[in-house]
Amino acid sequence: MSNIIKPKLIIHGGAGSSLKGKGGLEAVRKSLHDIVSEVYQLLLEGKSATEAVIKGCELLENNPRFNAGTGSVLQSDGQIRMSASLMDGEKQKFSGVINVSRVKNPIHLAEKLQLEDDRVLSDYGSAELLRELNFPIYDPLTDLRLQEWIEERKENFTKKMAGVVAESEAGRGTIGVVALDTQGRISAGTSTGGKGLERIGRVSDSAMPAGNYANAYAGVSCTGIGEDIIDECLAAKVVIRTSDGLSLQEAMKKSITEALENKRDLGAISLDRNGNIVWGKTSEVLLAAFHDGKNIGDCLEWDNDELIGSIDIL
Ligand code: GLY
């Protein structure tokens, strides 16, 4: 039993510029804490980090509050196209789908692709895979997202992206999960409906190593404006800096500082093989919650000037 590690978990439901109203905050908190609680239980039961990440992403995709799976935002042409990826840190293997439609849980496609030679598929290939796997056709559209899009259309799409933190408040929605299991394995998963109102064919960071990356040392899932995350190559940068000898705290701090200097709008959650949990953001709000091995906590009201927050190893 001595080599059994205490599992750790961190999840996010996006980042943004505001989290209006106490009602919004408490509702988001409950959604995130419930999911942390359910997924952490799986880790305690000995499920792998990858299994926990898939389940966590599935639960977040199923919650219409968040911009992934059900509740995804609409693109400029009124269609929903989702992207998701999974990275198994032990195998150092990335898989993902880009701009997939008519599926309930894009993360399940990323899961299936872990076993394939061709592991990242765009829209056409993802649709073929759905058909091959006989996944049921599913419409992730919610009334709220449709109403938001119709309002934007009335204003002739004057905004550059949809507003999505919590209910209908401004933000940059994505969901993500990073887990450390009892065997010391790390995995990361990220899923999104994109920025909203984007032009057809725009590719999100969520199915790129820039937005979702893990190896034996650390795992990171990002949220925020995809182009900013891609320009910083944020997830891969933090993980590689950790592999090269920086502590996770140092790696996150250095990377978020650079992002701030470059005026990026983003956030990231991470953990390492020692059980450190670290998050960082340049945006105002990061909707993240975690299990530190003892308690569930979150960063919903975290607003310090240090750019990163962390939980000490227990
Ligand atoms: N980070 C999600 C997106 O920009 O697509």
Side-chain angles (χ1 to χ4, degrees):
M1 291 295 284
S2 58
N3 58 353
I4 298 288
I5 289 169
K6 188 173 272 191
K8 300 287 168 68
L9 178 69
I10 183 160
I11 72 172
H12 72 76
S17 57
S18 72
L19 187 57
K20 273 194 264 164
K22 203 72 180 152
L25 188 142
E26 287 310 325
V28 171
R29 175 167 283 146
K30 180 163 172 25
S31 296
L32 293 175
H33 284 215
D34 286 351
I35 292 170
V36 166
S37 173
E38 185 171 342
V39 177
Y40 192 75
Q41 188 56 35
L42 297 178
L43 289 165
L44 284 180
E45 288 165 10
K47 291 277 191 294
S48 70
T50 297
E51 289 170 306
V53 164
I54 292 164
K55 186 65 187 179
C57 287
E58 179 194 303
L59 293 170
L60 286 157
E61 286 176 343
N62 290 350
N63 188 323
R65 184 180 303 285
F66 304 116
N67 173 24
T70 304
S72 286
V73 294
L74 283 66
Q75 300 194 336
S76 53
D77 62 344
Q79 299 298 308
I80 290 175
R81 298 180 184 86
M82 301 165 285
S83 299
S85 68
L86 177 64
M87 183 134 192
D88 182 319
E90 189 195 26
K91 299 188 181 118
Q92 212 176 313
K93 245 177 151 183
F94 184 95
S95 59
V97 286
I98 296 168
N99 287 328
V100 66
S101 302
R102 298 168 74 76
V103 62
K104 187 169 183 189
N105 293 111
I107 194 67
H108 288 165
L109 292 174
E111 176 189 3
K112 296 287 180 194
L113 287 168
Q114 276 283 311
L115 305 171
E116 301 285 325
D117 291 333
D118 301 327
R119 279 185 273 117
V120 184
L121 298 182
S122 64
D123 49 359
Y124 185 79
S126 303
E128 291 262 305
L129 181 66
L130 273 177
R131 205 158 51 203
E132 247 173 69
L133 294 169
N134 251 328
F135 276 20
I137 299 284
Y138 180 80
D139 184 357
L141 179 65
T142 62
D143 287 350
L144 177 64
R145 296 294 181 237
L146 182 59
Q147 287 310 318
E148 287 167 354
W149 188 84
I150 289 169
E151 287 306 310
E152 286 299 330
R153 190 171 60 171
K154 277 188 206 151
E155 292 169 29
N156 202 23
F157 298 118
T158 43
K159 282 193 202 148
K160 286 197 182 130
M161 69 182 95
V164 200
V165 164
E167 306 290 348
S168 57
E169 293 140 358
R172 299 99 180 90
T174 301
I175 65 92
V177 180
V178 190
L180 172 73
D181 67 24
T182 54
Q183 307 301 309
R185 297 169 298 201
I186 296 167
S187 284
T190 304
S191 182
T192 190
K195 281 196 296 195
L197 314 179
E198 62 268 70
R199 63 186 293 164
I200 302 169
R202 181 255 181 188
V203 175
S204 166
D205 63 291
S206 297
M208 291 186 194
N212 189 69
Y213 200 74
N215 65 9
Y217 291 82
V220 177
S221 168
C222 299
T223 176
I225 296 178
E227 285 71 7
D228 286 0
I229 296 165
I230 293 165
D231 289 345
E232 294 298 314
C233 201
L234 187 63
K237 184 156 70 172
V238 172
V239 169
I240 288 161
R241 281 179 165 160
T242 307
S243 317
D244 283 350
L246 290 193
S247 70
L248 184 60
Q249 287 89 341
E250 289 166 339
M252 183 67 83
K253 179 127 189 210
K254 191 169 165 59
S255 305
I256 294 287
T257 302
E258 289 166 356
L260 191 70
E261 283 163 8
N262 292 330
K263 300 188 171 39
R264 312 296 190 194
D265 187 351
L266 46 75
I269 57 168
S270 67
L271 50 73
D272 70 14
R273 62 180 178 174
N274 299 319
N276 291 296
I277 297 173
V278 180
W279 60 89
K281 65 176 173 66
T282 61
S283 56
E284 279 175 41
V285 179
L286 177 63
L287 307 184
F290 51 82
H291 201 304
D292 64 11
K294 274 191 180 162
N295 301 306
I296 295 177
D298 64 58
C299 353
L300 297 183
E301 291 172 281
W302 170 67
D303 181 29
N304 68 24
D305 296 332
E306 295 298 310
L307 302 179
I308 69 155
S310 63
I311 298 294
D312 293 337
I313 309 163
L314 296 174

